[in-house]
Amino acid sequence: MTEEKENKTGIMERKKKRKQNDRNKKNPENQNNHNQDQDQKNAVKEDKEKKSEGKTTKQEVTSEDNNKKKHKIVFPFGNYRNYYGYRINEVDGDPRLKVFERDWFQGKDCLDIGCNSGILTIQIARKFHCKSILGIDIDSDRVSDAYWHLRKFARTENVEKNITKVTRLDVKNKVNGAKHSASASSVETKEDSSASSKGDLLDVVSFRQENFVQSQRPSEKQYDTILCLSVTKWIHLNWGDDGLITLFSKIWRLLHPGGILVLEPQPWQSYEKNRRVSETTAMNYRTIMFRPESFREILLDKIGFRRAEDITDGLSGSKAGFDRPIFVYHK
């Protein structure tokens, strides 16, 4: 019985196909309509496949973007790469150098806490002729950058010295004549000795990786001038009020009597912007009691500095976001 039904069904289907073929032969439009219907069905199917592929691609791109966000580099200690690249105006240089006084640095032993890539540290040594200046930073990569900049500045300085030396000799020989060349040579020798007394840059400037707040390194020497520029916020956010007091106390102990601290604190609004760079900073931000406006009182009344002066008025040309006050505290 089953076989008879299958045979009947097959016969019926073949009859339908023959009838359809006969109609197509008589009227070609039927075949065209049938083909068009089939083309439309295929087109709809292709569109669906393309949309499906598009969705997959978008998901993959979104996934890649999310991975990039997850692996975004953060700098919880303010140890930014190329920090001075967006802080310093290439034409005018670092505006802070304009308010620094030569007496604070010339012939003095100096310390720069949180030196980053060392550019300002080196510029201070070049402009004010320190006896020595040590830059320390928590990030070893920034210390490597600082030594790279130091070698670059040293090469430039040596080239400039050689050009100046040759130019002076040429001028002296032309003015005084060849018979006075011996006296010109003696003048040159004196100038060379005075220049070397200021010290070569590589002998004057050095850098070291160190966490200043937590370091147990014994104090090998004291300093005449200590710089702490745009660092207090990062120490405050990472180690709280205790870390800030430790910072100020260690600075005071490292200074010679009569020494000075040059301090550039970030305002409280700056704390708010960076409080979420890590879980630690977020937690400490909620518990901080000492705001930047209270630093003066802490340094004078609790730490023991004798007096303070605000040198911000002479500061101009800072880029937006870096117009911060600068204070000088005298031990």
Side-chain angles (χ1 to χ4, degrees):
M1 291 293 291
T2 305
E3 290 180 359
E4 288 180 3
K5 286 183 180 180
E6 288 178 354
N7 291 333
K8 287 180 180 180
T9 303
I11 292 168
M12 292 295 291
E13 287 179 355
R14 286 194 291 273
K15 284 182 178 180
K16 285 181 181 180
K17 287 182 180 180
R18 281 198 296 270
K19 288 179 181 179
Q20 182 66 43
N21 291 334
D22 292 340
R23 281 196 296 268
N24 290 339
K25 289 177 181 178
K26 293 177 181 178
N27 188 1
E29 289 183 1
N30 289 337
Q31 180 64 36
N32 292 337
N33 291 336
H34 176 74
N35 292 338
Q36 288 175 0
D37 290 341
Q38 191 62 39
D39 290 342
Q40 288 176 354
K41 288 179 182 179
N42 292 336
V44 170
K45 186 177 179 181
E46 288 177 3
D47 287 341
K48 287 182 179 179
E49 289 176 353
K50 286 180 180 179
K51 286 179 181 180
S52 177
E53 290 175 0
K55 286 180 181 179
T56 304
T57 305
K58 286 179 181 178
Q59 288 173 354
E60 289 173 354
V61 171
T62 304
S63 178
E64 288 177 5
D65 291 342
N66 289 336
N67 288 334
K68 287 179 182 177
K69 288 178 181 177
K70 287 179 182 178
H71 293 90
K72 182 181 179 182
I73 299 174
V74 295
F75 301 95
F77 306 109
N79 48 318
Y80 299 108
R81 285 198 302 252
N82 198 31
Y83 171 73
Y84 290 107
Y86 53 81
R87 167 148 197 174
I88 297 176
N89 186 316
E90 293 183 2
V91 177
D92 300 326
D94 197 315
R96 292 173 292 186
L97 290 170
K98 298 174 185 175
V99 297
F100 291 169
E101 295 183 12
R102 184 175 294 275
D103 291 343
W104 301 345
F105 305 102
Q106 189 166 14
K108 305 288 179 66
D109 291 314
C110 307
L111 173 66
D112 185 9
I113 300 169
C115 64
N116 197 269
S117 60
I119 291 178
L120 183 62
T121 314
I122 297 166
Q123 288 179 340
I124 288 171
R126 294 186 75 191
K127 182 174 182 178
F128 300 116
H129 308 296
C130 308
K131 178 183 176 183
S132 72
I133 185 165
L134 168 65
I136 62 174
D137 199 272
I138 195 170
D139 189 343
S140 59
D141 287 338
R142 299 294 78 78
V143 172
S144 297
D145 293 342
Y147 269 115
W148 184 88
H149 285 122
L150 178 59
R151 291 189 292 270
K152 180 181 177 182
F153 274 106
R155 286 194 297 269
T156 304
E157 190 175 71
N158 288 333
V159 170
E160 290 174 352
K161 282 181 180 178
N162 291 334
I163 292 173
T164 304
K165 190 189 300 181
V166 170
T167 303
R168 283 203 193 108
L169 283 173
D170 287 345
V171 170
K172 285 181 174 126
N173 286 333
K174 286 177 182 177
V175 172
N176 299 326
K179 62 180 179 179
H180 297 298
S181 61
S183 61
S185 298
S186 64
V187 172
E188 176 209 342
T189 304
K190 289 179 182 178
E191 287 176 350
D192 284 349
S193 62
S194 65
S196 62
S197 67
K198 295 175 183 176
D200 292 330
L201 208 53
L202 292 171
D203 297 326
V204 173
V205 184
S206 60
F207 297 100
R208 186 171 73 211
Q209 187 278 328
E210 183 179 330
N211 182 334
F212 185 77
V213 171
Q214 296 189 322
S215 173
Q216 301 299 318
R217 180 189 293 269
S219 303
E220 299 174 357
K221 63 184 293 185
Q222 286 186 302
Y223 299 92
D224 301 295
T225 300
I226 295 180
L227 300 117
C228 187
L229 307 174
S230 290
V231 173
T232 50
K233 173 185 70 176
W234 298 109
I235 289 177
H236 215 172
L237 284 174
N238 281 282
W239 292 282
D241 288 333
D242 290 342
L244 183 77
I245 298 301
T246 300
L247 168 71
F248 291 159
S249 299
K250 289 185 76 170
I251 288 174
W252 192 86
R253 290 197 301 271
L254 286 173
L255 280 172
H256 284 299
I260 64 167
L261 162 65
V262 182
L263 182 69
E264 181 189 40
Q266 295 101 318
W268 184 249
Q269 304 94 281
S270 182
Y271 284 62
E272 295 174 354
K273 293 178 182 177
N274 296 110
R275 68 187 186 276
R276 293 194 181 96
V277 294
S278 72
E279 291 181 6
T280 300
T281 58
M283 180 181 66
N284 284 330
Y285 174 80
R286 294 192 294 269
T287 61
I288 285 174
M289 300 294 291
F290 303 139
R291 298 288 182 93
E293 52 267 27
S294 67
F295 290 177
R296 181 187 180 97
E297 180 183 350
I298 293 170
L299 286 162
L300 293 175
D301 298 342
K302 295 184 178 181
I303 303 301
F305 284 92
R306 292 184 297 108
R307 64 186 179 90
E309 55 181 312
D310 187 344
I311 60 172
T312 313
D313 289 342
L315 191 62
S316 62
S318 297
K319 285 190 176 183
F322 294 101
D323 48 347
R324 298 164 181 168
I326 300 180
F327 304 94
V328 178
Y329 290 90
H330 298 260
K331 181 175 177 179

